[in-house]
Amino acid sequence: MTIADTTRRELLAGDPERIARADRVIAGLGLPSTGIAVADPATGETIATVADQDASAALAAVGTADAAGRSWARTTPRQRADVLHAWYDLLIAHRDDLAHLIVREMGKPLAEAYGEVQYGADFVRWYAEEAVRPRGDYRESPNGGAQIITRRSPVGLSVLITPWNFPLAMATRKIAPALAAGNPAIVKPAALTPLTTIFAVQLAVQAGVPADLVQVVTTSSASAFSTAVLRDPRVRKVSFTGSTPVGRTLLELASVNVLRSSMELGGNAPLLVFDDADLERAVDGAYAAKMRNVGQSCIGANRIYVQDGIADAFVEGLTERLAAATVGSGFGEAAVGPVIDDRAATQMQQYVDDALEHGATLRTGGHGFDGAGHFYAPTLLDHVDPTSLVARSEIFGPIAAIQRFGTQAEGVERANDTEFGLAGYVFTESLDRAFDVADALQTGIVGINQGVPSNAAAPFGGVKQSGLGREGSAEGLEEYESIRYFSLARRATS
Ligand code: NAD
């Protein structure tokens, strides 16, 4: 089905100087000349090749990291903190290089890439600060027969698997707490965006992380990697960020050696706008929650529910914002960059076509763009039928799908009608309603009058099938620690 196009405009080009700057960073990475091709999603051109490591190379990396981990586990918290502080400083000193690299391999606009650099570096600083607060306590047995001392030990060799959408932050959110707790790590970045992780780990080594301690493994065969590595008895932990189906597969593999498992999986975030919301705040918040990272965020506003009384005004406001958003290279002046690949652009069109067949109204966008790169126009669909594909899938792209609701109870019930539970949003000026709805939402994170709730100090993670465990905050460190206790017998003396 072809969609009538009212808002098609030219794509904005990237600044050649910025592109050249990114390529200088890539040239400095020391990459092999053959292997997995990494493409720029804005142009489709190959920008680098990284090693395509098979299962035996991955197992060799396990051995190397495991050996390096023994002395790291014996370092003091202060030594680990000093190295992490130095890594943070280097990430910030190289913020321009990192931001350009992120845009080149992942596509988001440069200003957002700078935001990711700070967000990603924040995890390193946070865990540098947490490293010197190792927790443990003292307890008494109720019958007086023992005194109990609890302490935390490093969980052991940790396998960290990350997605392509935040190539720096998803890596540092795992590597920093793993190191702070005293563990070695194997990092497997997504094959689509391995460069930022490779560079960040090179900076970690410059900062004083022992060279063998963190092994980056790049591979075109993710399943061969996980089948070999997660069944190796030297591995004790897996932390995964990505889609729920892959998370299920990894949990099955993790069951073989009963690995500690942290899973940050898919989202399907509801965003509720109530009649008593501040309209401008709701439009701004919904735009941010939807369009951050070109809609490719696990906490992106996926289902937007708007109460009947404010719906027309809200749809008008959000349509205006989306229609005005310029599209093009992340290295130019565009507000919206490419989606990650051609498959994603094709998927967006399928969502739109299906929604229209189910009676939705297209208010803006609804089309891709011809030519090089993978772009999709910021799109607003109103009156989306709950049975349509776009209402039941994780969209992961720049489509705002609006449904309308009557009562608070109805809005909450529809918001919770999903097996996912990562993030939710509520917009209202009533404090009571904000807390009532936030309490009722079955999600690990709730943004209240706020579209971007991510923060290194917060325990990020989901409920239901959105995951297990938390990242960021003190809880994020616990994921890399084993709690043990020593029990001292007490017998009265006379
Ligand atoms: P994905 O699940 O396809 O891939 C994620 C990573 O897992 C990649 O490195 C990939 O190579 C690897 N992988 C795939 N199959 C594997 C296997 N059998 N064994 C080992 N590794 C395997 O997800 P994606 O497309 O890269 O990312 C998008 C998904 O990630 C979305 O569902 C999104 O919601 C989710 N995500 C979640 C969070 C969160 O914090 N909860 C954050 C970002 C993204």
Side-chain angles (χ1 to χ4, degrees):
M1 177 176 177
T2 309
I3 309 302
D5 169 20
T6 52
T7 53
R8 187 181 288 267
R9 274 166 294 150
E10 290 299 302
L11 291 171
L12 300 182
D15 174 350
E17 301 238 324
R18 289 178 178 162
I19 296 171
R21 165 148 208 172
D23 289 345
R24 285 197 296 278
V25 182
I26 294 171
L29 294 177
L31 299 171
S33 54
T34 56
I36 310 169
V38 181
D40 179 339
T43 62
E45 69 190 299
T46 296
I47 53 170
T49 49
V50 297
D52 193 356
Q53 289 167 276
D54 61 12
S56 63
L59 289 175
V62 167
T64 307
D66 185 51
R70 291 191 201 126
S71 46
W72 184 249
R74 288 194 297 272
T75 54
T76 64
R78 177 62 69 200
Q79 286 170 323
R80 298 197 290 273
D82 285 348
V83 168
L84 288 170
H85 275 299
W87 187 21
Y88 172 81
D89 290 344
L90 273 182
L91 290 168
I92 295 302
H94 287 84
R95 68 193 318 155
D96 294 328
D97 290 344
L98 282 161
H100 283 71
L101 196 51
I102 290 171
V103 178
R104 190 68 159 138
E105 68 173 340
M106 189 269 147
K108 69 185 71 178
L110 190 59
E112 283 194 47
Y114 274 103
E116 182 180 343
V117 174
Q118 187 60 57
Y119 178 51
D122 276 348
F123 288 104
V124 178
R125 178 168 55 179
W126 177 269
Y127 287 108
E129 293 161 349
E130 281 296 309
V132 289
R133 295 184 184 86
R135 281 178 294 169
D137 61 25
Y138 162 82
R139 305 173 194 194
E140 307 237 356
S141 92
N143 65 6
Q147 291 172 316
I148 297 162
I149 299 164
T150 73
R151 63 188 316 270
R152 315 259 171 135
S153 303
V155 68
L157 179 52
S158 301
V159 174
L160 316 176
I161 303 173
T162 56
W164 50 265
N165 60 344
F166 289 91
L168 179 67
M170 296 301 97
T172 54
R173 196 163 82 164
K174 297 183 191 302
I175 300 170
L179 295 182
N183 302 290
I186 306 285
V187 190
K188 196 206 82 57
L192 289 166
T193 59
L195 306 178
T196 306
T197 308
I198 290 171
F199 186 43
V201 172
Q202 289 180 357
L203 293 177
V205 172
Q206 272 182 45
V209 170
D212 290 341
L213 190 67
V214 180
Q215 298 281 314
V216 181
V217 175
T218 48
T219 181
S220 60
S221 179
S223 61
F225 166 86
S226 54
T227 306
V229 165
L230 297 189
R231 292 199 296 204
D232 186 293
R234 292 167 292 189
V235 169
R236 289 307 322 146
K237 159 95 195 174
V238 57
S239 176
F240 170 69
T241 297
S243 59
T244 296
V246 173
R248 279 192 203 104
T249 303
L250 295 178
L251 281 171
E252 272 178 35
L253 277 170
S255 74
V256 175
N257 285 333
V258 193
L259 301 185
R260 280 280 293 280
S261 304
S262 306
M263 296 280 139
E264 297 285 350
L265 307 179
N268 180 5
L271 182 148
L272 291 104
V273 180
F274 286 90
D275 285 349
D276 58 9
D278 176 316
L279 181 63
E280 201 181 321
R281 215 175 179 189
V283 169
D284 285 352
Y287 182 87
K290 179 70 247 180
M291 295 304 293
R292 179 180 181 217
N293 220 33
V294 198
Q296 303 166 121
S297 157
C298 52
I299 57 169
N302 208 53
R303 295 167 294 141
I304 303 180
Y305 295 104
V306 193
Q307 205 166 17
D308 290 330
I310 198 173
D312 287 342
F314 175 84
V315 165
E316 211 52 52
L318 189 57
T319 301
E320 258 174 46
R321 289 289 302 275
L322 291 168
T326 49
V327 183
S329 163
F331 285 119
E333 301 307 315
V336 177
V339 291
I340 191 69
D341 56 16
D342 201 37
R343 203 168 52 104
T346 307
Q347 178 73 74
M348 293 308 119
Q349 195 61 54
Q350 279 165 2
Y351 287 143
V352 170
D353 292 351
D354 174 81
L356 295 181
E357 277 161 23
H358 283 80
T361 317
L362 178 66
R363 295 295 305 267
T364 185
H367 60 82
F369 294 83
D370 297 333
H374 320 292
F375 292 90
Y376 201 80
T379 297
L380 189 140
L381 293 164
D382 195 6
H383 299 289
V384 167
D385 188 281
T387 66
S388 50
L389 209 51
V390 76
R392 293 184 285 111
S393 313
E394 186 178 16
I395 302 171
F396 237 62
I399 302 174
I402 313 283
Q403 301 181 47
R404 297 171 181 227
F405 70 91
T407 64
Q408 178 176 321
E410 182 203 343
V412 168
E413 191 184 329
R414 287 169 61 188
N416 285 336
D417 185 19
T418 166
E419 69 269 28
F420 296 104
L422 186 56
Y425 302 87
V426 51
F427 287 83
T428 172
E429 290 298 291
S430 157
L431 188 63
D432 288 330
R433 191 189 309 284
F435 276 93
D436 282 350
V437 173
D439 277 344
L441 285 178
Q442 296 163 352
T443 60
I445 303 161
V446 181
I448 300 177
N449 291 323
Q450 191 191 37
V452 182
S454 307
N455 194 315
F460 191 102
V463 300
K464 293 159 89 176
Q465 294 188 29
S466 285
L468 301 170
R470 295 292 178 265
E471 290 194 318
S473 76
E475 284 83 355
L477 189 61
E478 289 172 2
E479 303 281 325
Y480 295 92
E481 296 172 329
S482 296
I483 299 177
R484 304 167 62 223
Y485 73 89
F486 306 152
S487 181
L488 281 73
R490 283 300 299 267
R491 193 165 54 195
T493 52
S494 55

